[in-house]
Amino acid sequence: MIKITIDNKEIEVPQGTTVLEAAKAADIHIPTLCYHPELTPYGGCRLCLVEVEGARTLQPSCTLPANNGMVVRTDTAQIHEARKFVLNMIFSERNHLCPYCQVSGGDCELQNAAYDEGMTHWSFQPTWKPYPMDASHPYIIMEHNRCILCHRCVRACGELVGNFTLGVQERGSKSRIIADLDVPLGESTCISCGACIQVCPTGALIDRWSAYRGKETDVEHNASICVGCSIGCGIDVETRNNSLVRIEGDWEAAVNDGILCEIGRFHPVDENRERINTPMVRKDGKLVPASWDEALDLLTAKIKPLVGKEGDGIAAVISNRLPAEAIYAFKQVFKDGFKSDMVTSMEEGIFTELPTRLAAELGKPFEGKIDCLKNSDCMIVIGADLIKDHQVVGFFIKRALPEGAKMVVVDPNENPLDHLTNSTLKASKGADLDWVKCLSAAVVKTGLAKVASSLDPDAVLKAAEETTGVTEQEYLELAQLIASAEKPAIVYGKGITEKNSTQTLKALVELGELIGAIGEDFSNIVSTKGDANSMVAAQYQLESPFQMNAHQAVFVALGDEKPSKRFELKLEKAPFLAVQASFISPLTAQADVVLPVTMWTEQEGHYLNLDGRIQKAVKALEPAEDTWTNVKVLGAIAERLGFETDDNWKAELTKRVSPVAIQG
C-alpha cells in the first residue's frame, strides 16, 4: 500500500492505482470524458487534469500512477481554466447544440461537465461541418455530429467484445469513427452487442428503441438477469410508466462483467408478438375468450381421468426459460401427481442429459466456471457455435486473442470462429471418440502430459487418419499447442452433447486432465447448456426425448418461448392440447385451452446458470389484470386436482449430482 494526499486528504491505496482511481476511492470528484472504468485508460480528452506538487505542468489523472507521498490538488483556478478550455474546444469542433440532442438534460456527460464548470455557452467560434447520420443499423444510430472522439466505443468494441468493428479515420479535426473500412454500420461486421452505446458519453451512438423516450435520469432501474441463454448475464432493466425503456449490462455482474449480446440487449425490447390477455377455450372449433374458472374447469375435467395412466395418459412439456419455481411446480403436478411417463422440457436434455449422466457416474461435478476463460492462454472450442449462441462466452475468448491467447476449434462443420483460430481440427463426422483419443495419444507422445496415461500413443495414432481423417502429424502439432499452455480451457457444446455418449465425454475429461485443464482442485472445462434454466430441468430429471404416443392429452407450459415448427408438428394430432403462454403462436392456435401467463419481465424467480450460480430475476413490469404467473397457474391446477405441492425448489436441485458445483 502507498499513501497519497489529494486536496489535503491522505489516502491509502494499493500500488498501481491511478490518481483518478485514488480520488474516486476518497469520494473526490474529478471530471472525465474519455475515461471509463471498464476500459484501459486512454488520456485523450485532458478533462481530468490535476496539479501534482513538483510537476511543471498539469497531469492527466486517469493515466497517472499514484506514488507514495504524492501531493495532488484537483480544485484550483489553473485547473478550472484548463477544464473550460478543453470543453470550449470540444464544443466548437462538432454540432453540440444541446437543445436539439436527445441526451441533453442530464444524460450527456459532456453537457454535465460544462454545467459543473458554470458554463452556459462556449467562447470559440464553431468550426464544424455537418456530417451525415448513419441510420443503416437495425438497432443503432451513429450521429457523427455529436461525437467527441473519446474513442470509448472503439475501445469497448475491441477490449470488451473482441470484435474490432469500430475504428478511426483521418486525423485531427477531421477524425471520424468508422465501421470496418468506412462502410455503413448496418453493413459492417457489427454484431449488435450494443457495448458502444452503453459507453458513449454523448448522443453520438444511440439505440432506436429508447431514443427520445425520456431521460435516463428519469427511469426505474431493476437489477436482474438475462434469460436469453444459460449464461445468465447481469442486466439493468430500465422502465418508465410500466413500459420497458432499455436494457443495459450490469458492470458489477460477476458473470458477464457488464457486456451483453444482441439477444440480451435488443431482442426483448424489439418484441412485436401479440400478447394473450385472457383465457381461451375451444367452442365449435374456434377459440373464444373465457374466464379463468371456466378455462381451468374445462382443463381439469379433461385431464383428471388421466391421473395414474401410463402410455395413454397425459404428456407434459415445459419451457427451459421459465423460473425454477415454475419448473418445480410443473414437476410436482405432472411427474409426481399424475405419475405421467412423459414429462420433459422443450430442449429434451440435448445440452444437459449427457453431462448430468456423466456427473452421476463420476459421483461428483467435473466442470468449472466461465471465469476460467478470462485468464486462459489457450481455449479449445468443441462443437459449439459461439457466434450464434452463448455469444458472451465467445466475447471472453475473442477479446483474449489480441493479448496472445491461443484458440483451437474442433468442429467437423464450418465454424464461424474458424478464421480466428491458431488451429482447427476437422475430424470426420461421427468420429468424436476417435479424435479425442487420438489427440490424447498425441499429447502423451509429445511428453507434455500433466498426468500419467495408460494409452499406447503409437497404436492409437497409427490408425488416426483412417478413423478420423486427420493425420498423425496434425494431431502432434495440435497437441504441442494445447499442452504447452499454462492455463488451457475447454468449451464444449451441442456437437458433443447431442451424440449422447458418456464414453466420448469421459474421454474429453481425460484429455482435459492430460493437458492441465482439469486438476485435483480446479476445472477449466465448461459446457454451453442451452436455455436459461436448462440446468434446472436437468436437475429435476425433465430431459427425456418427447414422444407423442397414445397420450390422450398434452399440457405445454410454454411461457414466453417461441415454439419451434418441429414441436408444433409433433402436437398436431394431440386429442386434447392445453397451453399456458404469453404470446399468440401457431401452437396456441392448435390448443383447446389457452391460459395467459406473464413474460420474463413480469415475474420473479430463480435461474441456475451454466456454471452453477443460482441467480434471481426480478419483476420489472406489472402484467395485465387477467394474466397470471406460471407458478400461480400450475398451483391452481394442482389445487383443483387435489395434488399436494410445496416450494422446496432449491432443495430439489441438489438431490442429483450436477456437472458443475451448485452455489447460492
Side-chain angles (χ1 to χ4, degrees), residues 30 238 243 514 549:
I30 299 176
E238 298 181 13
S243 175
L514 286 172
N549 298 321

Side-chain angles (χ1 to χ4, degrees), residues 529-596:
K529 297 184 176 70
D531 282 336
N533 253 340
S534 294
M535 283 276 288
V536 166
Q539 292 306 106
Y540 293 161
Q541 301 186 53
L542 304 177
E543 49 191 357
S544 304
F546 178 76
Q547 297 291 336
M548 182 64 211
N549 298 321
H551 295 99
Q552 296 302 300
V554 180
F555 185 92
V556 181
L558 186 65
D560 56 12
E561 182 166 335
K562 293 180 180 178
S564 67
K565 187 66 177 177
R566 169 179 165 273
F567 187 69
E568 292 165 6
L569 291 173
K570 280 189 174 184
L571 299 182
E572 273 188 335
K573 296 182 180 180
F576 179 81
L577 175 62
V579 180
Q580 64 180 59
S582 305
F583 298 96
I584 296 290
S585 70
L587 190 62
T588 60
Q590 296 173 210
D592 298 285
V593 175
V594 177
L595 306 173

Side-chain angles (χ1 to χ4, degrees), residues 302-316 333-343 549-553 643:
K302 288 285 188 180
I303 65 177
K304 193 168 186 178
L306 305 178
V307 174
K309 284 193 173 186
E310 294 187 6
D312 61 349
I314 189 169
V333 172
F334 295 102
K335 193 163 189 163
D336 303 336
F338 271 95
K339 308 294 182 186
S340 173
D341 61 343
M342 183 46 61
V343 182
N549 298 321
H551 295 99
Q552 296 302 300
F643 294 158

Side-chain angles (χ1 to χ4, degrees), residues 285-404:
K286 295 182 179 180
L287 282 173
V288 297
S291 68
W292 271 102
D293 283 336
E294 184 181 0
L296 290 172
D297 287 345
L298 173 61
L299 171 64
T300 52
K302 288 285 188 180
I303 65 177
K304 193 168 186 178
L306 305 178
V307 174
K309 284 193 173 186
E310 294 187 6
D312 61 349
I314 189 169
V317 189
I318 191 166
S319 166
N320 299 73
R321 280 175 56 91
L322 294 181
E325 292 87 343
I327 298 176
Y328 182 55
F330 172 86
K331 173 185 177 293
Q332 290 181 93
V333 172
F334 295 102
K335 193 163 189 163
D336 303 336
F338 271 95
K339 308 294 182 186
S340 173
D341 61 343
M342 183 46 61
V343 182
T344 188
S345 65
M346 296 287 286
E347 285 183 348
E348 306 171 273
I350 290 176
F351 297 92
T352 55
E353 196 273 338
L354 179 58
T356 306
R357 183 148 43 93
L358 179 59
E361 186 178 326
L362 297 174
K364 62 179 182 180
F366 63 91
E367 294 182 357
K369 297 185 178 298
I370 57 174
D371 285 349
C372 67
L373 299 176
K374 299 173 185 178
N375 301 307
S376 175
D377 58 348
C378 181
M379 292 153 285
I380 308 161
V381 181
I382 304 169
D385 184 347
L386 300 180
I387 298 297
K388 178 183 177 184
D389 306 309
H390 303 86
Q391 294 176 32
V392 171
V393 172
F395 297 164
F396 289 156
I397 293 175
K398 290 199 300 177
R399 72 187 191 183
L401 301 181
E403 303 299 320

Side-chain angles (χ1 to χ4, degrees), residues 577-616:
L577 175 62
V579 180
Q580 64 180 59
S582 305
F583 298 96
I584 296 290
S585 70
L587 190 62
T588 60
Q590 296 173 210
D592 298 285
V593 175
V594 177
L595 306 173
V597 291
T598 50
M599 60 181 290
W600 71 278
T601 51
E602 300 166 345
Q603 63 190 357
E604 67 176 23
H606 290 82
Y607 290 80
L608 181 62
N609 84 332
L610 59 79
D611 58 9
R613 304 174 202 254
I614 297 177
Q615 303 183 107
K616 186 176 182 180

